[in-house]
Amino acid sequence: MVPKLLRKSQFVHLWWATLLLIVVLAGGLYAAYVSVTTAVEEECNANLSIAAEQFAADVQDYFELQKIQMQALGDLVAQLPDIRSKKRVQELLRAFNKDKPPRHTRVIYPDNTEIRDTGESHCFSFNAESRQEPYVTDDKLSSAYIGRREIQVLAPVIKEGRTVALVCSTVYLEDMRNYFKVDIYRGRAQLFIVDGTTGHYLLDNWHDNLNSNVSMLTERVYYPGYTGEAFVNDLKQGRPGHTIFKSKTVGQYLYTHYRPIGINNWQAVVSVLEPEALGLARSTTHYMTSLVLLYLLAFGIFLSWIFYLRRLSVKEWERLWRLDLNTGLENRNAYIQLLHDFAIIPGQTLTCIYIDVNGLHELNNRYGHEAGDQMLNLVAEELQESFPSAYLYRLGGDEFLVVAEGLAEDVALNRLQLIKTKLARQQYSISAGIEHDESGRPLEEVVNAADKKMLADKREYYSTVGDRRRR
């Protein structure tokens, strides 16, 4: 019976071990799937965020160039002897407009007439459009082509300090898709420019119809965690963000990022279909296969675990050996190690600040060691905040040391004074000495010099407050 019982016990143990391994493996595969999906979404969001920022910058740069060109044209018109001379103005416009469509550029006068390179016609109100600097309008119906919508870039023609005319360049919305490209996802990203104030689409490289309004986006199906109301409200308020919603055209989710352009209340929107977005990362199968192989090595890793724990305990012991458990700063052991390892570099700037906390002994005696610890911790926190890149030590008792490389002496003095001011608000005080060196003296020599200055400062402090305790 005993051998059978042993074999049965062994089988039960093996069965449970196998079941545990299967559970762990299944959990690992699921974790891998979640990890891959998360990584792909993060990569997609990062790419779309960069693309949206670049797209917004490209649009802004394009219209800034248009404004500069219009200002230059306005300056040229202002130099004409007679800015009303149709012949001279048309010649100037034709020369300026030779590579652009007809009626692309014109001059507008205060009587609401204009001169194009093709003739004269009435335009929008001069007073409504007149400003003292170049600017870009929102979209409006074209005065030259019925049914077309346009954006105008206007600049003043200034003579003798007065705006005597306007020059105007027109960008037609259906032409805007030719001006901007985003090369992510093999050029398959969708680009939109939306006017958050009116809800109009100024650019849509996916649809031919620009007559829809962003308010209709609230009717889309959104990925859990996103809503159409939040998306549309962000566009109206000019806030950056991202969302995921289902396209009515193809029935797939669109991963979408949007950024303010910096012109009026325009938003740059970049979207990509889910298959394109998720197809850029390594396949889930590759990740899962790798994970299976890792689990086959699990037993070997387990054998290494014991050695790892031993090594970890040694590291923890070393960490505690260097750590002041009260303040979290490094202790005298770490400072002695620094003295041994510190390399003097010719010409380097070295600043040492030796600090002694005044009244620690009296505070411990009067209120207990918890009050003293509170004061020491506050000093340590102020040092960490003021000297984040320096070596910081509590050398023991009430003594602290700051060793900073590349820190100017006046900066160190200002920071130290700020620390003293903050501590004084808590009824605490410190004595300190600063030694600054650029001659390559040994670190210990610089620290000792700072210590001497601190002692002098401490004597002066106690002589002032009338305390007779001496160090």
Side-chain angles (χ1 to χ4, degrees):
M1 291 295 295
V2 173
K4 287 187 177 180
L5 288 174
L6 291 174
R7 287 194 295 270
K8 182 177 180 181
S9 174
Q10 291 171 349
F11 173 78
V12 170
H13 290 162
L14 180 62
W15 187 87
W16 279 109
T18 303
L19 180 61
L20 178 61
L21 182 61
I22 292 174
V23 171
V24 171
L25 183 60
L29 292 175
Y30 176 76
Y33 170 77
V34 173
S35 176
V36 170
T37 303
T38 302
V40 170
E41 290 182 353
E42 290 176 351
E43 180 182 0
C44 174
N45 285 328
N47 289 337
L48 285 174
S49 178
I50 294 171
E53 291 175 0
Q54 185 59 55
F55 179 35
D58 290 345
V59 175
Q60 188 177 45
D61 290 345
Y62 174 82
F63 281 99
E64 283 297 322
L65 179 60
Q66 292 284 313
K67 288 162 62 176
I68 292 172
Q69 291 177 343
M70 286 301 97
Q71 186 61 72
L73 179 59
D75 293 341
L76 291 174
V77 172
Q79 295 175 17
L80 293 176
D82 181 7
I83 66 170
R84 286 283 191 168
S85 172
K86 181 176 179 180
K87 179 180 179 182
R88 297 295 298 275
V89 171
Q90 283 185 326
E91 289 176 352
L92 179 58
L93 291 179
R94 287 168 183 164
F96 188 86
N97 200 34
K98 62 180 180 179
D99 297 326
K100 301 180 180 66
R103 301 186 182 180
H104 188 87
T105 309
R106 55 195 184 274
V107 179
I108 306 170
Y109 297 97
D111 59 0
N112 297 334
T113 60
E114 64 184 15
I115 296 180
R116 305 173 184 260
D117 58 353
T118 56
E120 296 184 9
S121 64
H122 286 273
C123 64
F124 294 98
S125 170
F126 176 92
N127 291 331
E129 301 291 349
S130 178
R131 296 188 189 177
Q132 290 296 311
E133 71 281 338
Y135 69 102
V136 180
T137 70
D138 286 327
D139 68 302
K140 59 182 68 178
L141 289 174
S142 172
S143 61
Y145 298 99
I146 297 176
R148 297 181 71 177
R149 287 160 57 200
E150 63 184 29
I151 296 168
Q152 295 179 344
V153 183
L154 298 106
V157 179
I158 299 176
K159 273 194 170 187
E160 298 177 354
R162 293 187 309 107
T163 300
V164 296
L166 297 172
V167 290
C168 175
S169 175
T170 300
V171 179
Y172 296 102
L173 299 192
E174 56 266 43
D175 297 330
M176 293 218 356
R177 65 170 59 193
N178 301 322
Y179 303 148
F180 308 106
K181 304 289 182 183
V182 171
D183 294 327
I184 63 170
Y185 299 102
R186 299 182 293 276
R188 297 180 182 177
Q190 286 84 54
L191 308 181
F192 308 89
I193 299 177
V194 174
D195 188 334
T197 302
T198 63
H200 293 168
Y201 286 92
L202 309 182
L203 181 148
D204 181 346
N205 74 338
W206 205 15
H207 306 92
D208 294 327
N209 183 9
L210 290 172
N211 294 325
S212 57
N213 194 284
V214 294
S215 59
M216 299 173 62
L217 293 174
T218 57
E219 303 172 5
R220 301 290 193 272
V221 176
Y222 282 79
Y223 197 83
Y226 301 94
T227 65
E229 290 76 14
F231 179 30
V232 173
N233 190 52
D234 280 350
L235 294 178
K236 290 181 178 180
Q237 299 298 323
R239 291 191 292 259
H242 63 276
T243 190
I244 305 173
F245 63 95
K246 187 169 290 187
S247 166
K248 279 189 174 182
T249 305
V250 297
Q252 297 175 342
Y253 279 112
L254 279 167
Y255 285 65
T256 302
H257 275 243
Y258 44 94
R259 292 288 184 275
I261 293 175
I263 301 174
N264 302 332
N265 192 24
W266 297 359
Q267 288 264 33
V269 183
V270 179
S271 297
V272 65
L273 289 171
E274 185 176 38
E276 292 292 329
L278 302 183
L280 289 180
R282 289 177 293 176
S283 67
T284 304
T285 303
H286 175 74
Y287 275 91
M288 291 186 175
T289 302
S290 300
L291 190 61
V292 169
L293 295 176
L294 289 176
Y295 272 105
L296 293 177
L297 297 174
F299 292 107
I301 295 174
F302 176 77
L303 294 177
S304 303
W305 178 250
I306 301 301
F307 298 99
Y308 170 75
L309 290 179
R310 182 178 181 277
R311 184 179 179 185
L312 190 65
S313 64
V314 171
K315 286 186 175 181
E316 180 64 12
W317 179 87
E318 181 181 358
R319 186 184 73 86
L320 295 176
W321 179 80
R322 298 173 58 91
L323 182 68
D324 177 58
L325 297 179
N326 189 17
T327 63
L329 302 182
E330 292 193 301
N331 59 21
R332 179 174 286 277
N333 294 329
Y335 166 61
I336 294 173
Q337 186 68 40
L338 178 70
L339 289 178
H340 181 269
D341 296 340
F342 193 81
I344 300 297
I345 302 174
Q348 75 173 349
T349 299
L350 181 64
T351 302
C352 293
I353 308 175
Y354 208 109
I355 296 171
D356 190 290
V357 180
N358 297 323
L360 177 63
H361 180 71
E362 292 81 356
L363 187 65
N364 285 336
N365 290 340
R366 187 172 183 180
Y367 298 105
H369 285 82
E370 183 176 351
D373 290 344
Q374 182 178 353
M375 178 169 66
L376 293 174
N377 282 322
L378 182 59
V379 173
E381 290 171 4
E382 293 297 336
L383 291 176
Q384 288 173 320
E385 180 178 347
S386 298
F387 302 97
S389 59
Y391 299 100
L392 303 175
Y393 303 96
R394 182 190 176 198
L395 299 181
D398 52 5
E399 296 180 347
F400 293 84
L401 177 65
V402 178
V403 179
E405 298 175 86
L407 182 66
E409 185 174 14
D410 59 339
V411 175
L413 285 168
N414 290 337
R415 293 182 184 179
L416 179 61
Q417 185 57 48
L418 181 60
I419 291 175
K420 288 185 175 183
T421 302
K422 289 183 178 179
L423 293 176
R425 295 172 186 162
Q426 304 293 326
Q427 305 301 315
Y428 298 146
S429 171
I430 60 173
S431 297
I434 296 182
E435 182 67 12
H436 185 75
D437 180 73
E438 297 181 3
S439 62
R441 285 185 290 166
L443 174 60
E444 188 171 13
E445 182 178 334
V446 181
V447 172
N448 290 337
D451 185 21
K452 291 180 181 179
K453 293 181 179 180
M454 180 276 293
L455 290 173
D457 188 41
K458 194 172 188 71
R459 284 192 294 270
E460 181 180 354
Y461 168 80
Y462 281 120
S463 66
T464 302
V465 301
D467 194 303
R468 295 297 178 264
R469 184 173 73 90
R470 292 295 183 267
R471 180 182 167 186

